[in-house]
Amino acid sequence: MQMLATRRWDGSLLLKIALAAGLVALGDTVFWRWEQVGGVQGLFGLGLCLALLAGRPAVRRDRRALVALGAAVLFACALVWNPGALAFVLFWIAIGMATLLPATARFDDGWRWFQRLWAHGFKALFGPLIDLTVLGKVRRKRPTGQMGLRRVIPLLALPLAGGALFVTLFAQANPVIAALLAALSLPAFDWDLLPRMITWGVFALFAWGVLRPRPPRRLLGTLDATGDVTLPGFSLASITLSLAVFNALFAVQNLMDMAYLSGAAALPQGITLADYAHRGAYPLVATALLAALFVLVSSRPGSSTAASPLVRWLVAVWIAQNVVLVFSAAWRTWDYVQAYSLTTLRISALLWMALVAVGLVLVLVRMLHAKPLSWLINANLASAGLLLSVVSFVDLGAVSASWNVRHAREIDGDGAQLDLCYLQRLGPAALPALDHLAQHQPSWPAVSGLRAQAQARSESDIKYHWWTLAGQLRLGRSLALGKATYPDTFGVGCNANDLRD
């Protein structure tokens, strides 16, 4: 047992300490010496990935861990490109999985991995203290001939305390000794260094948590969702009747949506298409989610309802109608975009609707093929992870700004009126759109002013604290077209779409 404990603290520990020290130095360089907190986050993330690969042989031997580590490298690159909360969260999930996978026999499901990552992150806060405690226990088991710290302290306590006492008494009697002691003074502590030292501690915790994983010893079991549900009113007859009623109601709603949105039927007086589109988009998605929950509860694999051919047919039709309902919600949202403009929130809503539609199809597949709930969780996480991975590299603000400019009524004669105030709120993200607008509408005084403002903000971000690779390239392309200047008539009071006048 002693050999096992001692072997645990062999040269590999020294390597991990050296790697952690190197990561602290890297973090200090990029965050304090370069005074940046933007894309340099990704450089620290890449350093963590390299340290994990060098300090954990088990990761190098596990193909699953290497895949997760590759994903962490990808998200670290996303942080270099255009850092954001999404890329930050995805990076830590990926590197957490990479460091924990060698200790797991199989992947199992997302619910259990949520527990693992949460426990690992919490324990990492106390990781150095835990390791110091273990190291102390190992040292206490050394042979008696070796001088341990617990033996050195009692040995030196009396000589040091007694010597200090006598030196103090001699200083009172001897002015030469008193003058020598007065000349000795500890250097003043630089309190400006305190925030920097705190960040060193944070970097050290990050590094040590990756290099010394702490998986939980016990996990809650996989959620069971099979067999008949024991809830009042959930009988085979009531579920069958409910599905028939729900299908009829959804058919009426879907037919009305198709008629109104396609223009085959006129809307009632006083209701515009924009009002109709904006009012129903989000409630329809909520309805689809409730429908999916009802199917999960009422038609679980192994239940009498899932075994009924009529129920399975009604569920399949209802799921299809829910997919049409989500498509209708997306159609409504897109009609609202064409009537007004595209925003980052509306792009996010459309992507969310796509995930809901995929989730509905997966619910149906699970019921028809009697898949376990863990399969459904993993399939939904995989689809969401794939979409979010792509989005982490995309600046939704730049996408919305470019679309609004290229499809504005003032540019192509159709579409929504251009909202220059929204472009101003987007800041540097709108710079490519403003470059395009300046080339096609050079007579608008406010365009040059907004472009100059976006260039100035982009230059300031890159120079002070928020450098990103995407921002650097975006500014370079804009400056290649020419330096924008503020016109004499430029003044921003963005409460209306009057900046073009």
Side-chain angles (χ1 to χ4, degrees):
M1 186 70 181
Q2 179 179 343
M3 293 179 59
L4 180 62
T6 305
R7 190 179 304 163
R8 188 178 180 186
W9 298 97
D10 58 6
S12 64
L13 176 65
L14 299 179
L15 174 61
K16 292 174 182 177
I17 292 175
L19 290 172
L23 287 170
V24 171
L26 174 63
D28 179 76
T29 299
V30 298
F31 286 96
W32 286 99
R33 297 185 183 181
W34 295 354
E35 296 183 343
Q36 289 284 345
V37 292
V40 294
Q41 301 174 49
L43 298 180
F44 184 77
L46 290 173
L48 274 175
C49 294
L50 290 175
L52 177 60
L53 195 63
R56 294 280 311 285
V59 172
R60 299 195 296 268
R61 294 191 295 264
D62 194 310
R63 292 183 180 180
R64 303 168 305 162
L66 290 175
V67 172
L69 186 61
V73 171
L74 179 68
F75 297 130
C77 293
L79 287 171
V80 175
W81 175 254
N82 192 30
L86 176 60
F88 183 83
V89 171
L90 291 175
F91 168 77
W92 284 108
I93 290 175
I95 200 168
M97 293 183 65
T99 194
L100 293 177
L101 271 167
T104 60
R106 59 189 182 88
F107 181 82
D108 48 61
D109 61 81
W111 164 238
R112 292 169 67 85
W113 268 102
F114 171 79
Q115 299 175 60
R116 288 190 182 98
L117 292 173
W118 187 90
H120 168 66
F122 181 76
K123 288 182 177 181
L125 297 176
F126 311 98
L129 294 178
I130 297 173
D131 285 337
L132 285 175
T133 302
V134 175
L135 185 59
K137 293 179 179 178
V138 172
R139 287 183 172 178
R140 285 197 296 271
K141 295 180 180 179
R142 286 180 174 178
T144 56
Q146 297 185 12
M147 185 67 72
L149 184 62
R150 292 174 61 89
R151 297 182 61 192
V152 170
I153 292 178
L155 179 66
L156 298 179
L158 181 60
L160 290 176
L165 174 63
F166 287 125
V167 168
T168 302
L169 294 175
F170 289 151
Q172 299 296 323
N174 191 329
V176 176
I177 296 178
L180 290 175
L181 291 178
L184 298 176
S185 60
L186 295 175
F189 181 75
D190 186 3
W191 289 101
D192 293 335
L193 190 62
L194 184 60
R196 193 169 183 174
M197 295 175 66
I198 292 175
T199 57
W200 293 346
V202 173
F203 296 147
L205 284 177
F206 285 163
W208 204 245
V210 169
L211 295 171
R212 293 278 298 166
R214 304 180 189 281
R217 297 181 179 180
R218 295 180 181 179
L219 295 173
L220 297 178
T222 301
L223 300 176
D224 182 29
T226 58
D228 288 313
V229 62
T230 56
L231 291 176
F234 275 74
S235 64
L236 176 60
S238 65
I239 291 174
T240 304
L241 181 60
S242 298
L243 288 171
V245 172
F246 296 162
N247 269 301
L249 293 174
F250 274 58
V252 172
Q253 173 63 39
N254 285 328
L255 289 174
M256 290 177 63
D257 274 348
M258 294 301 107
Y260 289 140
L261 294 174
S262 64
L267 287 166
Q269 188 175 3
I271 300 178
T272 66
L273 183 60
D275 293 335
Y276 185 82
H278 185 256
R279 184 173 179 177
Y282 299 113
L284 290 183
V285 175
T287 302
L289 291 173
L290 288 174
L293 178 62
F294 178 82
V295 173
L296 288 174
V297 173
S298 63
S299 303
R300 308 196 303 178
S303 64
S304 57
T305 51
S308 169
L310 177 59
V311 169
R312 290 162 66 90
W313 183 85
L314 287 173
V315 167
V317 173
W318 195 36
I319 291 292
Q321 291 209 76
N322 275 278
V323 172
V324 173
L325 200 70
V326 174
F327 173 75
S328 172
W331 193 348
R332 288 170 180 245
T333 303
W334 191 249
D335 281 345
Y336 193 75
V337 166
Q338 291 180 321
Y340 293 94
S341 60
L342 187 64
T343 64
T344 56
L345 181 60
R346 288 163 195 163
I347 295 175
S348 302
L350 290 169
L351 296 176
W352 167 245
M353 293 173 193
L355 282 179
V356 171
V358 172
L360 288 168
V361 174
L362 292 174
V363 168
L364 179 61
V365 172
R366 185 220 176 198
M367 187 201 71
L368 295 178
H369 296 277
K371 297 286 187 181
L373 184 60
S374 59
W375 176 89
L376 181 63
I377 294 173
N378 291 343
N380 277 283
L381 287 176
S383 59
L386 180 61
L387 177 62
L388 294 178
S389 299
V390 175
V391 173
S392 65
F393 282 90
V394 178
D395 189 337
L396 298 183
V399 172
S400 61
S402 296
W403 193 92
N404 290 340
V405 166
R406 295 178 185 277
H407 296 84
R409 185 181 308 167
E410 296 86 349
I411 301 298
D412 62 2
D414 195 8
Q417 188 180 22
L418 184 60
D419 187 355
L420 292 180
C421 295
Y422 180 65
L423 298 182
Q424 184 191 34
R425 289 195 296 270
L426 289 175
L431 194 51
L434 290 169
D435 291 336
H436 180 82
L437 189 59
Q439 291 179 309
H440 288 79
Q441 295 292 343
S443 60
W444 289 358
V447 172
S448 179
L450 288 177
R451 183 165 172 260
Q453 190 180 74
Q455 282 184 350
R457 286 183 58 184
S458 184
E459 289 176 335
S460 177
D461 288 347
I462 289 172
K463 187 176 181 180
Y464 303 105
H465 311 307
W466 197 258
W467 176 90
T468 68
L469 181 57
Q472 184 75 61
L473 297 176
R474 182 171 54 211
L475 179 62
R477 287 192 295 266
S478 181
L479 292 176
L481 297 176
K483 182 81 172 179
T485 58
Y486 289 95
D488 295 336
T489 58
F490 177 65
V492 178
C494 254
N495 294 318
N497 296 331
D498 55 359
L499 293 181
R500 63 182 60 80
D501 298 330

